[in-house]
Coordinates of all heavy atoms in Angstrom, one line a residue:
M8 N 115.7 119.3 79.6 CA 115.8 120.0 78.5 C 116.4 121.4 78.8 O 115.9 122.0 79.8 CB 114.3 120.1 77.9 CG 114.4 120.9 76.6 SD 112.8 120.8 75.9 CE 113.0 121.9 74.6
S9 N 117.5 121.7 78.2 CA 118.2 123.0 78.5 C 117.6 124.1 77.5 O 117.3 123.9 76.4 CB 119.6 122.9 78.1 OG 120.4 124.0 78.4
T10 N 117.6 125.1 78.1 CA 116.9 126.4 77.4 C 118.2 127.4 77.2 O 118.1 128.4 77.8 CB 115.8 127.1 78.1 OG1 116.2 127.4 79.6 CG2 114.6 126.1 78.3
T11 N 119.1 127.0 76.5 CA 120.3 127.9 76.2 C 119.9 128.7 74.9 O 119.4 128.1 73.9 CB 121.6 127.1 76.0 OG1 121.4 126.2 75.1 CG2 121.9 126.5 77.4
I12 N 120.3 129.9 74.9 CA 120.2 130.7 73.7 C 121.6 131.2 73.3 O 122.3 131.7 74.1 CB 119.5 132.0 74.1 CG1 117.9 131.5 74.5 CG2 119.3 133.0 72.7 CD1 117.2 132.7 75.0
K13 N 122.0 131.0 72.0 CA 123.3 131.1 71.5 C 123.5 132.6 71.1 O 124.6 133.0 70.6 CB 123.6 130.2 70.4 CG 123.8 128.7 70.9 CD 124.1 127.8 69.7 CE 124.1 126.4 70.3 NZ 124.6 125.4 69.3
Y14 N 122.4 133.4 71.1 CA 122.6 134.8 70.7 C 122.0 135.6 71.9 O 121.3 135.2 72.7 CB 121.8 135.0 69.5 CG 120.4 134.6 69.6 CD1 119.4 135.6 69.9 CD2 119.9 133.4 69.2 CE1 118.1 135.4 70.0 CE2 118.6 133.1 69.3 CZ 117.6 134.1 69.7 OH 116.4 133.8 69.8
R15 N 122.3 136.9 71.8 CA 121.8 137.8 72.7 C 120.7 138.6 72.1 O 120.9 139.1 71.1 CB 123.1 138.8 73.1 CG 123.4 138.7 74.5 CD 124.4 139.6 74.9 NE 124.7 139.4 76.2 CZ 125.8 139.9 76.8 NH1 126.6 140.7 76.3 NH2 125.9 139.7 78.1
S16 N 119.6 138.7 72.9 CA 118.6 139.6 72.4 C 118.3 140.5 73.6 O 118.4 140.3 74.7 CB 117.3 138.7 72.2 OG 117.0 138.1 73.4
V17 N 117.8 141.7 73.2 CA 117.5 142.8 74.1 C 116.0 143.1 74.0 O 115.6 143.4 72.8 CB 118.3 144.1 73.7 CG1 117.8 145.1 74.7 CG2 119.7 143.8 73.9
E18 N 115.3 142.9 75.1 CA 113.8 143.2 75.1 C 113.7 144.3 75.9 O 114.3 144.6 77.0 CB 112.9 142.1 75.5 CG 113.0 140.8 74.7 CD 112.2 139.7 75.3 OE1 111.2 140.0 75.9 OE2 112.4 138.5 74.9
K19 N 112.8 145.3 75.4 CA 112.7 146.6 76.3 C 112.3 146.3 77.7 O 111.2 145.5 77.9 CB 111.6 147.4 75.6 CG 111.4 148.7 76.2 CD 110.6 149.6 75.3 CE 110.5 151.0 75.8 NZ 109.6 152.0 75.2
G20 N 113.0 146.8 78.6 CA 112.5 146.6 80.0 C 113.4 145.5 80.6 O 113.3 145.4 82.0
F21 N 114.0 144.5 79.9 CA 114.6 143.5 80.5 C 116.2 143.5 80.4 O 116.9 142.9 81.3 CB 114.1 142.2 79.8 CG 112.7 141.9 80.1 CD1 111.8 142.2 79.3 CD2 112.3 141.4 81.4 CE1 110.3 141.9 79.5 CE2 110.9 141.2 81.7 CZ 110.0 141.4 80.8
G22 N 116.7 144.2 79.4 CA 118.1 144.2 79.2 C 118.7 143.0 78.5 O 117.9 142.0 78.3
P23 N 120.0 142.9 78.2 CA 120.6 141.9 77.6 C 120.8 140.6 78.5 O 121.2 141.0 79.8 CB 122.0 142.4 77.2 CG 122.3 143.6 78.0 CD 120.9 144.1 78.3
A24 N 120.4 139.5 78.2 CA 120.4 138.2 79.1 C 120.5 137.1 78.3 O 120.0 137.0 77.3 CB 119.2 138.3 79.9
I25 N 121.2 136.1 78.9 CA 121.3 134.8 78.3 C 120.7 133.8 79.4 O 121.4 133.9 80.5 CB 122.8 134.4 78.0 CG1 123.2 135.3 76.8 CG2 122.7 132.9 77.5 CD1 124.7 135.1 76.5
I26 N 119.7 133.2 79.0 CA 119.1 132.2 80.2 C 119.5 130.9 79.6 O 119.2 130.4 78.6 CB 117.6 132.4 80.1 CG1 117.2 133.9 80.4 CG2 116.9 131.4 81.1 CD1 115.7 134.1 80.3
G27 N 120.1 130.1 80.6 CA 120.5 128.7 80.3 C 120.3 127.9 81.5 O 120.2 128.4 82.6
G28 N 120.6 126.6 81.3 CA 120.6 125.6 82.4 C 121.9 125.4 83.1 O 122.0 124.5 83.9
E29 N 122.9 126.2 82.7 CA 124.1 126.1 83.4 C 124.4 127.0 84.6 O 125.5 127.4 84.8 CB 125.3 126.2 82.3 CG 125.0 125.2 81.2 CD 126.0 125.3 80.1 OE1 126.9 126.3 80.2 OE2 125.9 124.7 79.0
A30 N 123.3 127.6 85.2 CA 123.6 128.5 86.3 C 124.1 127.7 87.6 O 123.6 126.6 87.8 CB 122.3 129.2 86.5
K31 N 124.9 128.4 88.3 CA 125.4 127.9 89.5 C 124.4 127.7 90.5 O 123.6 128.7 90.8 CB 126.5 128.7 90.1 CG 127.0 128.3 91.3 CD 128.2 129.2 91.8 CE 128.6 129.0 93.2 NZ 129.5 130.0 93.8
S32 N 124.3 126.6 91.3 CA 123.1 126.5 92.4 C 123.8 127.1 93.5 O 124.9 126.9 94.0 CB 123.1 125.0 92.6 OG 122.2 124.8 93.6
H33 N 123.0 127.7 94.3 CA 123.4 128.4 95.7 C 122.7 127.7 96.7 O 122.5 128.2 97.7 CB 122.9 129.9 95.6 CG 123.7 130.6 94.6 ND1 125.0 131.1 94.9 CD2 123.2 131.2 93.4 CE1 125.4 131.7 93.7 NE2 124.4 131.9 92.9
A34 N 122.3 126.4 96.5 CA 121.6 125.6 97.5 C 122.4 125.4 98.8 O 122.0 125.4 100.0 CB 121.1 124.3 96.9
N35 N 123.7 125.2 98.6 CA 124.5 124.7 99.7 C 125.5 126.1 100.0 O 126.4 125.8 100.8 CB 125.4 123.7 99.5 CG 124.6 122.3 99.5 OD1 123.6 122.3 100.2 ND2 124.8 121.4 98.5
D36 N 125.3 127.3 99.5 CA 126.1 128.3 99.9 C 125.8 128.8 101.3 O 124.7 128.9 101.8 CB 125.7 129.5 98.9 CG 126.6 130.8 99.1 OD1 127.5 130.7 99.8 OD2 126.3 131.7 98.4
P37 N 126.9 128.9 102.1 CA 126.7 129.2 103.5 C 126.0 130.5 103.8 O 125.2 130.6 104.7 CB 128.2 129.6 104.1 CG 129.0 128.9 103.1 CD 128.4 128.9 101.8
F38 N 126.1 131.6 103.0 CA 125.3 132.9 103.0 C 123.9 132.6 102.9 O 123.1 133.1 103.7 CB 125.9 133.9 102.0 CG 125.1 135.2 102.1 CD1 125.5 136.2 103.1 CD2 124.2 135.5 101.1 CE1 124.8 137.3 103.1 CE2 123.4 136.7 101.3 CZ 123.7 137.6 102.2
V39 N 123.6 131.8 101.9 CA 122.1 131.6 101.6 C 121.4 130.7 102.7 O 120.3 131.0 103.1 CB 122.0 130.9 100.2 CG1 120.5 130.4 100.0 CG2 122.5 131.8 99.2
T40 N 122.3 129.7 103.2 CA 121.6 128.9 104.2 C 121.4 129.6 105.5 O 120.4 129.3 106.3 CB 122.5 127.6 104.4 OG1 123.8 128.0 104.8 CG2 122.5 126.6 103.3
K41 N 122.3 130.5 105.8 CA 122.2 131.4 106.9 C 121.0 132.3 106.8 O 120.2 132.3 107.9 CB 123.4 132.2 107.2 CG 123.5 133.1 108.4 CD 124.7 133.9 108.5 CE 124.5 135.0 109.6 NZ 125.8 135.9 109.4
K42 N 120.7 132.9 105.8 CA 119.6 133.7 105.5 C 118.3 132.9 105.6 O 117.2 133.3 106.2 CB 119.6 134.3 104.2 CG 120.7 135.4 104.1 CD 120.5 136.6 105.1 CE 121.5 137.6 104.9 NZ 121.2 138.8 105.7
V43 N 118.3 131.6 105.1 CA 117.1 130.7 105.1 C 116.8 130.4 106.6 O 115.6 130.4 106.9 CB 117.2 129.6 104.2 CG1 116.3 128.4 104.5 CG2 117.4 129.8 102.7
E44 N 117.7 130.1 107.4 CA 117.6 129.7 108.7 C 117.0 130.8 109.5 O 116.1 130.6 110.4 CB 118.8 129.1 109.3 CG 119.3 127.8 108.9 CD 118.2 126.7 109.1 OE1 117.6 126.6 110.1 OE2 117.9 125.9 108.1
K45 N 117.5 132.0 109.2 CA 117.1 133.1 109.9 C 115.6 133.5 109.5 O 114.7 133.9 110.4 CB 117.9 134.4 109.6 CG 117.5 135.6 110.4 CD 118.5 136.6 110.3 CE 118.1 137.8 111.1 NZ 119.2 138.5 111.9
A46 N 115.2 133.3 108.3 CA 113.8 133.5 107.8 C 112.9 132.5 108.5 O 111.7 132.8 108.9 CB 113.8 133.3 106.3
K47 N 113.4 131.3 108.6 CA 112.5 130.2 109.2 C 112.3 130.6 110.8 O 111.1 130.6 111.2 CB 113.2 128.8 109.2 CG 113.2 128.2 107.9 CD 113.9 126.8 107.8 CE 113.8 126.1 106.5 NZ 114.5 124.8 106.5
E48 N 113.3 131.1 111.4 CA 113.1 131.5 112.8 C 112.0 132.7 112.9 O 111.2 132.7 113.8 CB 114.5 132.0 113.4 CG 115.3 130.8 113.6 CD 116.7 131.3 114.1 OE1 116.9 132.5 114.5 OE2 117.7 130.4 114.0
T49 N 112.3 133.6 112.0 CA 111.3 134.7 112.1 C 109.8 134.4 111.7 O 108.9 134.8 112.4 CB 111.8 135.8 111.0 OG1 113.1 136.3 111.2 CG2 110.9 137.1 111.0
L50 N 109.7 133.4 110.8 CA 108.3 132.9 110.5 C 107.7 132.2 111.8 O 106.6 132.3 112.0 CB 108.3 132.1 109.2 CG 108.4 132.7 107.9 CD1 108.4 131.7 106.9 CD2 107.0 133.6 107.7
K51 N 108.6 131.5 112.5 CA 108.0 130.8 113.7 C 107.7 132.0 114.6 O 106.6 131.6 115.5 CB 109.1 129.7 114.3 CG 109.4 128.6 113.5 CD 110.4 127.7 114.1 CE 110.6 126.5 113.3 NZ 111.8 125.8 113.8
K52 N 108.3 132.9 114.9 CA 108.1 133.9 115.9 C 106.8 134.6 115.5 O 106.0 134.9 116.1 CB 109.3 134.8 116.0 CG 110.4 134.3 116.8 CD 111.5 135.2 116.9 CE 112.7 134.6 117.4 NZ 113.9 135.7 117.4
V53 N 106.9 135.2 114.2 CA 105.8 136.1 113.8 C 104.5 135.5 113.2 O 103.5 135.7 113.4 CB 106.3 137.1 112.7 CG1 105.3 138.1 112.2 CG2 107.5 137.8 113.3
G54 N 104.8 134.4 112.4 CA 103.8 133.6 111.7 C 103.4 134.4 110.4 O 103.8 135.4 110.0
L55 N 102.4 133.7 109.8 CA 101.8 134.2 108.5 C 100.5 134.9 108.8 O 99.8 134.5 109.7 CB 101.8 133.2 107.5 CG 103.0 132.5 106.9 CD1 102.6 131.4 106.0 CD2 103.9 133.5 106.3
P56 N 100.1 135.8 108.0 CA 98.8 136.5 108.2 C 97.6 135.5 107.9 O 97.8 134.7 107.1 CB 98.8 137.7 107.4 CG 99.7 137.3 106.2 CD 100.9 136.5 107.0
D57 N 96.5 135.7 108.5 CA 95.3 134.9 108.3 C 94.7 135.5 107.0 O 94.6 136.7 106.9 CB 94.3 134.8 109.4 CG 94.9 134.1 110.6 OD1 95.7 133.2 110.3 OD2 94.4 134.5 111.7
F58 N 94.4 134.7 106.1 CA 93.6 135.2 104.9 C 92.1 135.0 105.0 O 91.8 133.9 105.4 CB 94.2 134.4 103.7 CG 95.5 134.6 103.3 CD1 96.6 133.6 103.7 CD2 96.0 135.7 102.7 CE1 97.9 133.8 103.4 CE2 97.3 136.0 102.4 CZ 98.2 135.0 102.7
K59 N 91.5 136.1 104.9 CA 90.0 136.1 105.1 C 89.4 135.9 103.6 O 89.8 136.7 102.7 CB 89.5 137.3 105.8 CG 90.1 137.4 107.1 CD 89.5 138.8 107.8 CE 90.1 138.8 109.2 NZ 89.6 140.1 109.8
K60 N 88.4 135.0 103.6 CA 87.7 134.8 102.4 C 86.4 135.8 102.3 O 85.9 136.1 103.3 CB 87.2 133.4 102.2 CG 88.4 132.4 102.0 CD 87.8 130.9 101.7 CE 88.8 130.0 101.7 NZ 88.4 128.7 101.5
K61 N 86.3 136.4 101.1 CA 85.2 137.2 101.0 C 83.9 136.6 100.7 O 83.9 135.5 100.2 CB 85.5 138.3 99.9 CG 86.6 139.1 100.3 CD 86.8 140.3 99.1 CE 87.8 141.2 99.5 NZ 88.1 142.3 98.6

């Protein structure tokens, strides 16, 4: 189901925008994949913090 809006609405704090299902996917973009791989390497080195329950 596509959420396309044929008119432009301005909401305070958000600015003019059209939200639709026709946005370009950046899944195979070389820049994005490079950043994702670097983030994975960093997470392997540093890790995630331990969450303590109260």
Side-chain angles (χ1 to χ4, degrees):
M8 183 174 173
S9 179
T10 56
T11 56
I12 301 172
K13 295 183 180 181
Y14 58 90
R15 243 183 182 169
S16 64
V17 177
E18 293 183 28
K19 187 174 183 180
F21 296 99
I25 298 175
I26 301 172
E29 299 175 10
K31 178 183 171 187
S32 173
H33 295 286
N35 295 323
D36 187 4
F38 179 78
V39 174
T40 54
K41 180 180 173 184
K42 292 292 183 179
V43 168
E44 290 302 319
K45 187 166 178 142
K47 285 181 183 179
E48 291 174 12
T49 303
L50 280 175
K51 285 180 184 176
K52 290 179 189 175
V53 178
L55 294 173
D57 292 332
F58 294 103
K59 295 181 181 178
K60 293 183 181 180
K61 291 183 178 183

